[in-house]
Amino acid sequence: MSNPPQTRRRVVAASARKPPAELQSIRVVVEHDPDPDVSFLEQDEFEDRLAAYKRGEFDFVGVRAEAEVVIEGVVQTLTSGGLWGIESDSGEEYIESVAVEEYEQLRKVLKTVGVPTAQLPAASADQVREWMDWRA
């Protein structure tokens, strides 16, 4: 009885898979709230604040995080839900903390659509400050 000829197995390396989504840019936008709900200022305890608002001493802004992502060859802009109705004189520290929360929300969305975690820096006030686009 003869042994069947031995064949060599050939190993072929799999081609590198492209991630389903590729991050192009991130920014955190702070912009004028065009339709703020100021009804809370009409309460008696906010009389001085309402007067300051009417004098134009402060306004309201919204904060949202945005990312441009390429998904199947198409550039798309994904955003966080955003937080609106923030008093513009709330202070940079507060607005930056909201910006960090908005980026964290967006980061979850980006991971869900397939952006590699390596492309998504951890949220920090310093990092988010670099991305901030003040339009207000």
Side-chain angles (χ1 to χ4, degrees), residues 62-116:
V63 178
R64 73 174 182 279
E66 299 179 342
E68 287 191 359
V69 181
V70 178
I71 301 173
E72 295 186 10
V74 178
V75 177
Q76 300 185 39
T77 302
L78 303 178
T79 67
S80 64
L83 181 63
W84 301 90
I86 302 169
E87 295 172 26
S88 61
D89 60 354
S90 295
E92 278 188 43
E93 191 172 303
Y94 175 71
I95 292 174
E96 287 172 0
S97 72
V98 171
V100 168
E101 291 173 14
E102 291 300 312
Y103 170 66
E104 287 172 346
Q105 185 184 100
L106 178 63
R107 190 173 191 269
K108 289 177 186 173
V109 171
L110 295 172
K111 288 192 313 191
T112 300
V113 299
V115 174

Coordinates of all heavy atoms in Angstrom, one line a residue, residues 62-116:
G62 N -26.0 77.1 23.4 CA -26.1 75.7 23.4 C -24.7 75.1 23.1 O -23.8 75.8 22.5
V63 N -24.5 73.9 23.6 CA -23.2 73.2 23.4 C -23.5 71.8 22.8 O -24.4 71.1 23.3 CB -22.5 73.0 24.7 CG1 -21.2 72.3 24.5 CG2 -22.2 74.4 25.4
R64 N -22.8 71.5 21.7 CA -22.9 70.2 21.1 C -21.5 69.7 20.6 O -20.7 70.6 20.2 CB -24.0 70.1 20.0 CG -23.6 70.8 18.8 CD -24.6 70.6 17.6 NE -24.2 71.2 16.4 CZ -24.3 72.5 16.2 NH1 -24.8 73.3 17.0 NH2 -23.8 73.0 15.0
A65 N -21.3 68.4 20.5 CA -20.1 67.9 19.9 C -20.4 67.4 18.5 O -21.5 66.8 18.3 CB -19.5 66.8 20.8
E66 N -19.5 67.6 17.6 CA -19.7 67.1 16.2 C -18.5 66.4 15.7 O -17.4 66.7 16.1 CB -19.9 68.3 15.3 CG -21.0 69.2 15.5 CD -21.1 70.4 14.5 OE1 -20.1 70.7 13.9 OE2 -22.2 71.0 14.5
A67 N -18.7 65.4 14.9 CA -17.6 64.7 14.3 C -17.9 64.4 12.8 O -19.1 64.1 12.4 CB -17.4 63.3 15.0
E68 N -16.9 64.6 12.0 CA -17.1 64.2 10.6 C -16.5 62.8 10.4 O -15.3 62.6 10.8 CB -16.4 65.2 9.6 CG -17.1 66.5 9.6 CD -16.6 67.4 8.5 OE1 -15.7 67.1 7.8 OE2 -17.2 68.5 8.3
V69 N -17.2 61.9 9.9 CA -16.9 60.5 9.8 C -17.1 60.0 8.4 O -18.1 60.4 7.8 CB -17.7 59.7 10.8 CG1 -17.3 58.2 10.8 CG2 -17.6 60.3 12.2
V70 N -16.2 59.2 7.9 CA -16.4 58.6 6.6 C -17.0 57.2 6.8 O -16.3 56.4 7.5 CB -15.1 58.5 5.8 CG1 -15.3 57.8 4.4 CG2 -14.5 59.9 5.5
I71 N -18.2 57.0 6.3 CA -18.8 55.7 6.4 C -19.2 55.2 5.0 O -19.9 55.9 4.3 CB -20.1 55.7 7.3 CG1 -19.8 56.3 8.7 CG2 -20.8 54.4 7.4 CD1 -21.0 56.5 9.6
E72 N -18.6 54.1 4.6 CA -18.7 53.5 3.3 C -18.5 54.6 2.2 O -19.3 54.7 1.3 CB -20.1 52.9 3.2 CG -20.3 51.7 4.1 CD -21.6 50.9 3.9 OE1 -22.3 51.2 2.9 OE2 -21.8 50.0 4.7
G73 N -17.5 55.4 2.4 CA -17.1 56.3 1.4 C -17.8 57.7 1.4 O -17.6 58.5 0.6
V74 N -18.8 57.8 2.3 CA -19.6 59.0 2.4 C -19.2 59.8 3.7 O -19.3 59.2 4.8 CB -21.1 58.7 2.4 CG1 -21.9 59.9 2.5 CG2 -21.4 57.9 1.2
V75 N -18.9 61.1 3.6 CA -18.6 61.9 4.7 C -19.9 62.3 5.4 O -20.8 62.8 4.7 CB -17.8 63.1 4.3 CG1 -17.5 64.0 5.6 CG2 -16.4 62.8 3.7
Q76 N -20.0 62.0 6.7 CA -21.2 62.3 7.4 C -20.9 63.1 8.7 O -19.8 62.9 9.2 CB -22.0 61.1 7.8 CG -22.4 60.3 6.5 CD -23.2 59.1 6.9 OE1 -24.1 59.2 7.8 NE2 -23.0 58.0 6.2
T77 N -21.7 64.0 9.1 CA -21.6 64.7 10.3 C -22.5 64.1 11.4 O -23.7 64.1 11.2 CB -21.9 66.2 10.2 OG1 -21.0 66.7 9.1 CG2 -21.6 67.0 11.5
L78 N -21.9 63.6 12.4 CA -22.6 63.0 13.6 C -22.5 64.0 14.7 O -21.5 64.6 14.9 CB -22.1 61.7 13.9 CG -22.1 60.6 12.8 CD1 -21.5 59.3 13.3 CD2 -23.5 60.4 12.3
T79 N -23.6 64.2 15.5 CA -23.6 65.1 16.6 C -24.1 64.5 17.9 O -24.9 63.5 17.8 CB -24.4 66.4 16.3 OG1 -25.8 66.0 16.3 CG2 -24.0 67.0 15.0
S80 N -23.7 65.1 19.0 CA -24.3 64.7 20.3 C -25.7 65.4 20.3 O -26.0 66.2 19.5 CB -23.5 65.2 21.4 OG -23.4 66.6 21.4
G81 N -26.5 65.0 21.3 CA -27.8 65.6 21.5 C -27.8 67.1 21.7 O -28.6 67.9 21.3
G82 N -26.7 67.6 22.4 CA -26.6 69.0 22.7 C -27.3 69.4 23.9 O -28.3 68.8 24.3
L83 N -26.8 70.4 24.6 CA -27.5 71.0 25.7 C -27.7 72.5 25.5 O -26.7 73.2 25.2 CB -26.7 70.8 27.0 CG -27.3 71.3 28.3 CD1 -28.6 70.6 28.6 CD2 -26.4 71.2 29.5
W84 N -28.9 72.9 25.5 CA -29.3 74.3 25.2 C -29.8 75.0 26.4 O -30.2 74.4 27.4 CB -30.3 74.3 24.0 CG -29.7 73.6 22.8 CD1 -29.8 72.3 22.5 CD2 -28.9 74.2 21.9 NE1 -29.1 72.0 21.4 CE2 -28.5 73.2 20.9 CE3 -28.4 75.5 21.6 CZ2 -27.7 73.4 19.8 CZ3 -27.6 75.7 20.5 CH2 -27.3 74.7 19.6
G85 N -29.9 76.3 26.3 CA -30.5 77.1 27.4 C -29.5 77.4 28.5 O -29.8 77.6 29.7
I86 N -28.2 77.3 28.2 CA -27.1 77.6 29.1 C -26.9 79.1 29.2 O -26.8 79.8 28.1 CB -25.8 76.9 28.7 CG1 -26.0 75.4 28.6 CG2 -24.7 77.3 29.7 CD1 -24.8 74.7 28.0
E87 N -26.9 79.7 30.3 CA -26.7 81.2 30.4 C -25.3 81.5 30.0 O -24.3 80.8 30.5 CB -27.0 81.6 31.8 CG -28.5 81.5 32.2 CD -28.8 81.7 33.6 OE1 -28.1 82.5 34.3 OE2 -29.8 81.2 34.1
S88 N -25.1 82.4 29.1 CA -23.8 82.7 28.5 C -22.8 83.2 29.5 O -21.6 83.1 29.2 CB -24.0 83.7 27.4 OG -24.5 85.0 27.9
D89 N -23.2 83.7 30.6 CA -22.3 84.1 31.6 C -22.0 83.0 32.7 O -21.6 83.4 33.8 CB -22.7 85.4 32.3 CG -24.0 85.4 32.9 OD1 -24.7 84.3 32.8 OD2 -24.4 86.4 33.6
S90 N -22.3 81.8 32.4 CA -22.2 80.7 33.4 C -20.7 80.5 33.7 O -20.4 79.8 34.7 CB -22.8 79.4 32.8 OG -24.2 79.6 32.7
G91 N -19.8 80.9 32.9 CA -18.4 80.7 33.1 C -17.8 79.6 32.3 O -18.5 78.6 32.0
E92 N -16.6 79.8 31.8 CA -16.0 78.8 30.9 C -15.9 77.5 31.5 O -16.0 76.5 30.8 CB -14.6 79.3 30.5 CG -14.6 80.3 29.4 CD -13.2 80.7 28.9 OE1 -12.4 79.7 28.7 OE2 -13.0 81.8 28.6
E93 N -15.6 77.4 32.8 CA -15.4 76.1 33.5 C -16.7 75.2 33.3 O -16.6 74.0 33.0 CB -15.0 76.2 34.9 CG -14.6 75.0 35.6 CD -14.0 75.2 37.0 OE1 -13.0 76.0 37.1 OE2 -14.6 74.6 37.9
Y94 N -17.8 75.8 33.6 CA -19.1 75.1 33.5 C -19.4 74.7 32.0 O -19.7 73.6 31.7 CB -20.3 75.9 34.0 CG -21.6 75.2 33.7 CD1 -21.9 74.1 34.5 CD2 -22.5 75.7 32.8 CE1 -23.1 73.4 34.2 CE2 -23.7 75.0 32.5 CZ -24.0 73.9 33.3 OH -25.2 73.2 33.0
I95 N -19.2 75.6 31.1 CA -19.4 75.3 29.7 C -18.5 74.2 29.2 O -18.8 73.3 28.5 CB -19.3 76.6 28.8 CG1 -20.5 77.5 29.2 CG2 -19.3 76.3 27.3 CD1 -20.5 78.9 28.5
E96 N -17.2 74.2 29.7 CA -16.3 73.2 29.3 C -16.7 71.8 29.9 O -16.6 70.8 29.3 CB -14.9 73.5 29.8 CG -14.2 74.6 29.0 CD -12.9 75.1 29.5 OE1 -12.4 74.6 30.6 OE2 -12.3 76.0 28.9
S97 N -17.3 71.8 31.1 CA -17.8 70.6 31.7 C -18.9 70.0 30.9 O -19.0 68.8 30.6 CB -18.1 70.7 33.2 OG -19.3 71.4 33.3
V98 N -19.8 70.9 30.4 CA -20.9 70.4 29.5 C -20.3 69.9 28.2 O -20.7 68.9 27.7 CB -21.9 71.6 29.2 CG1 -22.9 71.2 28.1 CG2 -22.6 72.0 30.5
A99 N -19.3 70.6 27.7 CA -18.6 70.1 26.4 C -18.0 68.7 26.6 O -18.1 67.9 25.7 CB -17.5 71.1 26.0
V100 N -17.4 68.5 27.7 CA -16.9 67.1 28.0 C -18.0 66.1 28.0 O -17.9 65.0 27.4 CB -16.1 67.1 29.3 CG1 -15.8 65.6 29.7 CG2 -14.8 67.9 29.2
E101 N -19.1 66.4 28.6 CA -20.2 65.5 28.6 C -20.8 65.2 27.2 O -21.1 64.1 26.9 CB -21.4 66.0 29.5 CG -21.0 66.0 31.0 CD -22.1 66.7 31.8 OE1 -23.2 67.0 31.3 OE2 -21.8 67.0 33.0
E102 N -20.9 66.3 26.4 CA -21.3 66.1 25.0 C -20.4 65.3 24.2 O -20.8 64.5 23.4 CB -21.6 67.5 24.4 CG -22.7 68.3 25.0 CD -24.0 67.6 24.9 OE1 -24.4 67.1 23.8 OE2 -24.8 67.5 25.9
Y103 N -19.1 65.5 24.4 CA -18.1 64.7 23.7 C -18.2 63.2 24.1 O -18.2 62.3 23.3 CB -16.7 65.2 23.9 CG -15.7 64.2 23.3 CD1 -15.6 63.9 22.0 CD2 -14.8 63.4 24.2 CE1 -14.7 63.0 21.4 CE2 -14.0 62.5 23.7 CZ -13.9 62.3 22.3 OH -13.1 61.3 21.8
E104 N -18.4 62.9 25.4 CA -18.5 61.6 25.9 C -19.7 60.9 25.2 O -19.7 59.7 24.8 CB -18.7 61.5 27.4 CG -17.4 61.8 28.1 CD -17.5 62.0 29.6 OE1 -18.6 62.1 30.1 OE2 -16.5 62.0 30.3
Q105 N -20.8 61.6 25.1 CA -22.0 61.1 24.4 C -21.7 60.8 22.9 O -22.1 59.8 22.4 CB -23.1 62.2 24.5 CG -24.5 61.7 24.0 CD -25.5 62.9 24.1 OE1 -25.7 63.5 23.1 NE2 -26.0 63.1 25.3
L106 N -21.1 61.7 22.3 CA -20.7 61.5 20.9 C -19.7 60.4 20.7 O -19.9 59.6 19.8 CB -20.1 62.8 20.3 CG -19.6 62.7 18.8 CD1 -20.8 62.4 17.9 CD2 -18.9 64.0 18.4
R107 N -18.8 60.2 21.6 CA -17.8 59.1 21.6 C -18.5 57.8 21.5 O -18.1 56.9 20.8 CB -16.9 59.3 22.7 CG -15.6 58.4 22.7 CD -14.7 58.7 23.8 NE -13.4 58.0 23.7 CZ -13.1 56.8 24.1 NH1 -14.0 56.2 24.8 NH2 -11.9 56.3 23.9
K108 N -19.6 57.6 22.3 CA -20.3 56.4 22.4 C -21.0 56.1 21.0 O -21.0 55.0 20.5 CB -21.4 56.4 23.4 CG -20.9 56.3 24.8 CD -22.0 56.5 25.9 CE -21.4 56.5 27.3 NZ -22.5 56.8 28.3
V109 N -21.5 57.2 20.4 CA -22.1 57.0 19.1 C -21.1 56.6 18.0 O -21.3 55.7 17.2 CB -22.8 58.3 18.6 CG1 -23.3 58.3 17.2 CG2 -24.0 58.6 19.6
L110 N -19.9 57.3 18.1 CA -18.8 57.0 17.1 C -18.4 55.5 17.3 O -18.1 54.9 16.3 CB -17.7 57.9 17.3 CG -18.0 59.4 17.0 CD1 -16.9 60.3 17.4 CD2 -18.4 59.6 15.5
K111 N -18.2 55.0 18.5 CA -17.9 53.6 18.7 C -18.9 52.7 18.1 O -18.6 51.7 17.5 CB -17.6 53.3 20.2 CG -16.3 54.0 20.7 CD -15.8 53.5 22.0 CE -16.8 53.5 23.1 NZ -16.2 53.2 24.4
T112 N -20.2 53.1 18.3 CA -21.3 52.2 17.8 C -21.3 52.1 16.3 O -21.6 51.0 15.7 CB -22.7 52.8 18.2 OG1 -22.7 52.9 19.7 CG2 -23.8 52.0 17.7
V113 N -20.9 53.2 15.6 CA -20.9 53.1 14.1 C -19.6 52.5 13.6 O -19.4 52.4 12.4 CB -21.1 54.5 13.4 CG1 -22.5 55.0 13.8 CG2 -20.1 55.5 13.7
G114 N -18.6 52.2 14.5 CA -17.4 51.5 14.0 C -16.2 52.3 14.0 O -15.2 51.8 13.4
V115 N -16.1 53.5 14.5 CA -14.9 54.2 14.6 C -14.0 53.5 15.6 O -14.4 53.3 16.7 CB -15.1 55.7 15.0 CG1 -13.8 56.4 15.1 CG2 -16.0 56.4 13.9
P116 N -12.8 53.2 15.2 CA -11.9 52.5 16.1 C -11.6 53.4 17.3 O -11.4 54.6 17.3 CB -10.6 52.3 15.3 CG -11.0 52.4 13.9 CD -12.2 53.4 13.9

